[in-house]
Structures are given as C-alpha cells and as structure tokens.
Amino acid sequence: GQQLNQSPQSMFIQEGEDVSMNCTSSSIFNTWLWYKQEPGEGPVLLIALYKAGELTSNGRLTAQFGITRKDSFLNISASIPSDVGIYFCAGQSIPYSGAGSYQLTFGKGTKLSVIP
Amino acid sequence: SAVISQKPSRDICQRGTSLTIQCQVDSQVTMMFWYRQQPGQSLTLIATANQGSEATYESGFVIDKFPISRPNLTFSTLTVSNMSPEDSSIYLCSVDISYEQYFGPGTRLTVT
C-alpha cells in the first residue's frame, strides 16, 4: 500500500526559530493535508493543498504541494511555545470516478518541542 | 468545518467485554471514518461508514471485531468487541467535508 515518510521524527527548537518538516510518498496524491495534534485531542486541520506546486499560508504556517505530487513540506516561522505538538502530514487519493473511499494515508508524525 | 463530539472521552474496560463509542456531528455529512491511534503512533483507518450502506473495512479490521452503525447523516457508532489489552488505543471518528477530513476529540480506551 501507500506509505508516507515524514521527517524529522522529532525536533527541539528555541522559541523564535523557524521550523521545517516534510513528507515524501511512493505514490501520487491528489491532496495533501497537514494536521496538528495536542495531547488528549484529535488532530486539527491546519492546511489543505489541492494542486501540484501550490503554496498556501495560514498565519505563520506555510505548506507546499510538491510538483511531482509525491511530497509536501510545512514551515512554521517564528515558533512560539503553543506550537508544541505532533504534526502529521496526510495524503489523500480522491477517486475520480466519485466512488470508493476518500482514504487518508498518514505520516508517522513530527513531534515539535519549543524551548522558551 | 464541523463540530464533532465523541462519547465516552475515555474508558477502562475489562478483557472480554465490549465498548460502543458514539460520534455526533453538528451537520449532515455523507462520509464518516473511524481511525485507531495506538500509543505514540500515527492514525490507522479502521473503516469508512456511509449512511445507507455497509461499512467498508480496511485490511486487518473485520466487522465481527469492530461493528459499525450509521443510522443517519449526523451519527455513527463503533463497537470494539471482545476486547483484549492490544485494543488499548485512541479511537477517532472523522468526517469528510469538501475533501477535507475533520476529527473528533477521540476516545481513549484502556483494556485491563
């Protein structure tokens, strides 16, 4: 099946630093989604990407859909303590026929720790 | 987006028993999903639950172990049957809205 490689697995950074994480896939996806999960909570959608090459921002977060459709990255600028959490990428293959499962394949996550 | 609630938020259950988890959405949605997240791990899809049809299970998950109901467009249940300690996980429901999936807060299950 499809597999996503997400890196790095964990990061320790100083408050104010920029962060970059990425995901690569062995298969093509139609959509890339980035989520953040905090302890005891479900994943929260941060950014959704729909087109190869697309660059999208959400506040201090910027994500790009790779041109090959097999990769994506997420950048966080000027990190703050509340950025702490686990960030997951997810690729989605939407069946063009309109039938079937809109299955998400998740990366293993990047655990971000911010040192004040 | 959508507001999704799950009940219970957590439970401790004995081996061999069953637990039914409820998922409620504040709007009508066609596609709902159930995921499992084992401690320190990523999310794994258990099944897709569309209203009016049988749930579609992913490889490694079977209906006898994880029966799912989807009686209407705002509600679904997942039952974890004949539980063993290996079933200790977070169980999450999600909904698809315009190709974006939104998740509930999860149900943290511990089986002793």
Side-chain angles (χ1 to χ4, degrees), chain A residues 35 37 50 92 102-103 107, chain B residues 37 42 48 58 99-101:
Chain A
Y35 292 87
Q37 187 176 28
Y50 302 103
Q92 186 176 51
Y102 287 32
Q103 182 174 340
Chain B
Q37 186 176 29
S42 187
T48 302
E58 299 300 313
Y99 308 136
E100 297 176 0
Q101 282 195 27

Side-chain angles (χ1 to χ4, degrees), chain B residues 21-60:
Chain B
I21 302 167
Q22 300 179 4
C23 179
Q24 180 77 51
V25 190
D26 69 339
S27 57
Q28 294 185 336
V29 294
T30 302
M31 306 189 77
M32 294 180 75
F33 307 87
W34 286 97
Y35 287 82
R36 181 174 74 183
Q37 186 176 29
Q38 295 179 304
Q41 301 296 315
S42 187
L43 287 78
T44 301
L45 181 65
I46 297 172
T48 302
N50 293 341
Q51 196 269 337
S53 62
E54 294 286 328
T56 303
Y57 289 83
E58 299 300 313
S59 175

Side-chain angles (χ1 to χ4, degrees), chain A residues 12-63:
Chain A
F12 289 84
I13 62 169
Q14 293 281 347
E15 183 177 357
E17 288 184 350
D18 297 344
V19 174
S20 184
M21 58 192 80
N22 69 84
C23 276
T24 59
S25 169
S26 58
S27 305
I28 290 173
F29 288 113
N30 307 122
T31 303
W32 282 94
L33 305 169
W34 284 91
Y35 292 87
K36 178 187 178 186
Q37 187 176 28
E38 298 184 35
E41 303 289 332
V44 174
L45 182 63
L46 300 174
I47 292 179
L49 303 158
Y50 302 103
K51 292 173 57 176
E54 179 181 359
L55 185 71
T56 298
S57 293
N58 177 6
R60 293 178 296 106
L61 277 60
T62 302

Side-chain angles (χ1 to χ4, degrees), chain B residues 95-109:
Chain B
V95 301
D96 180 282
I97 297 176
S98 300
Y99 308 136
E100 297 176 0
Q101 282 195 27
Y102 297 91
F103 286 82
T107 295
R108 184 178 296 270
L109 171 63

